[in-house]
Amino acid sequence: MNGVLNILIDIASTPAILVALIAVLGLGLQKKPISDVVRGGIKTFVGFLVVTAGAGVIEGSLAPFGEMFQHAFNMQGVVPNNEAIVALALTKYGTYTALIMLAGMAFNILIARITKFKYIYLTGHATLYMACMIAVIMSVTKMSAVPLVLVGGLALGLANTIFPAIAQPFTKQITKNDSVALGHTGNFGYALSGFIGKYVGNKEKSTEDINFPKGLSFLRDSTVSITLTMGIVYTIVALFAGNEFISKNLSNGTNYIIYALQQAGMFAAGVFVILAGVRLILAEIVPAFKGISEKLVPNSIPALDCPIVFPYAPNAVLIGFLTSFAGGIVSLFIMIATGTTVIIPGVVPHFFCGATAGVFGNATGGVRGAVVGSFIHGVIISFMPILLMPVMGDLGFQGSTFSDTDYGVTGIFLGKLADMGGQMSVILGVLAVLALLIGLTIFGKKKTSETKEAA
């Protein structure tokens, strides 16, 4: 039994396999020829591996940047890193995490079936991390095993339905259609960036329409502009960190400036690979998903990882990262000045989440929307972990914590419910959210029928 459970967990937590199986299922339900089913499954599988490889390249180039930054400016504190905190949590809460994850995916499909919120969350690793955080918080309430898994799974299913729905109005503005949604743990922050951009910017002045002087027209190429920009950023931090530290600890003897430029190039290469993989995935998964939409969950929409929006505004990706990181640095100085827990800017979350926030801010407010929306996003993902840490029991003070906004919103909500009235408050709170979604669905149907009758 444990062997079967482990296989299911491995499949569910491996996005490439999970989404490839979804593509195969969708094409099979449409009764496509076996050649189309095989091709669609393999291309989706490979596309996700390409994206994963690109993300790995970026994370590999950002890791030494984070070390250089901390050494250069002598910063000590809590570093938000989802992988690190999950690795710590799984040693104690691994079984509950696995069961909540599987229950959450089932509840996500059920909620999409019975409500108007038709989002199927397909980002497996994000689901695993959210399940892990929920397992920790639910365990703090001392809830017994069965209700912990069921209530935790329902909370996860609700989160994986609600957050794509919150971001979808802005996602549609980016993709120009309603065929795909965003399934990532920063959706609350992305939606907020899009909302801010709407009021502070002008979407007619897009980041993608930046007019470079004729002699600098080569900067229109996103690979070139990203390489040059990151080359400058890496070099500045390397100069502060010093040749001795970098040569001994990071570059294996390579000159520190050469090493910095190499890492900047690797960063740009990772972005290039991600964009190629995203195009491959979208070309296959959207048509394949029609089968699931028609047969299992009518009108369902696949919610995919945040890089799916990167090709729509590559300039906004870079602007979003840099301004979100700037927001993290400003927040760092505020924390030091006010004597709170110090959150060291996590370069990985500021890239993936900040870049996405930039794309959302640009969609509604152009250049100004991308800058302001991403900066505020950077401030939020700096301060929100401070509020999240106390609700996670002993695990909240381990030198690392969850970084993205959806972890903060979900964790703080569940944690505050637990503080108010323990297990029963959590159960009633989660059921109240489900009732709200069902109520909005019923109200929406009544409104639609009244509109038709009036017409």
Side-chain angles (χ1 to χ4, degrees), residues 20 173 340 407:
Q173 291 188 53
T340 68
Y407 296 122

Side-chain angles (χ1 to χ4, degrees), residues 387-447:
L387 301 175
L388 177 62
M389 289 165 67
V391 306
M392 294 185 64
D394 294 338
L395 196 69
F397 303 94
Q398 296 287 335
S400 186
T401 187
F402 291 97
S403 58
D404 310 349
T405 56
D406 295 0
Y407 296 122
V409 173
T410 305
I412 293 168
F413 174 72
L414 292 175
K416 294 303 179 184
L417 286 174
D419 289 342
M420 287 168 52
Q423 301 176 14
M424 188 53 63
S425 290
V426 173
I427 294 170
L428 293 176
V430 171
L431 291 175
V433 175
L434 176 61
L436 177 62
L437 295 190
I438 294 173
L440 289 172
T441 300
I442 295 171
F443 177 76
K445 287 180 179 178
K446 286 183 179 179
K447 194 172 181 181

Side-chain angles (χ1 to χ4, degrees), residues 4 19 71 109 149 163 275 317 356 374:
V4 175
V19 179
H71 177 79
I109 294 170
V149 170
F163 287 118
L275 297 181
V317 168
T356 309
S374 298

Side-chain angles (χ1 to χ4, degrees), residues 193-202 361 364-366 368-373 376:
S193 179
F195 180 80
I196 291 168
K198 184 178 178 180
Y199 290 98
V200 304
N202 178 3
T364 58
R368 196 157 61 241
V371 170
V372 177
I376 294 175

Side-chain angles (χ1 to χ4, degrees), residues 332-407:
L332 174 69
F333 288 121
I334 294 173
M335 292 170 194
I336 293 172
T338 56
T340 68
T341 300
V342 175
I343 303 294
I344 303 293
V347 186
V348 172
H350 278 292
F351 171 68
F352 286 103
C353 297
T356 309
V359 176
F360 274 68
N362 175 66
T364 58
V367 176
R368 196 157 61 241
V371 170
V372 177
S374 298
F375 181 86
I376 294 175
H377 167 274
V379 173
I380 290 172
I381 67 169
S382 299
F383 281 97
M384 191 174 275
I386 296 177
L387 301 175
L388 177 62
M389 289 165 67
V391 306
M392 294 185 64
D394 294 338
L395 196 69
F397 303 94
Q398 296 287 335
S400 186
T401 187
F402 291 97
S403 58
D404 310 349
T405 56
D406 295 0
Y407 296 122

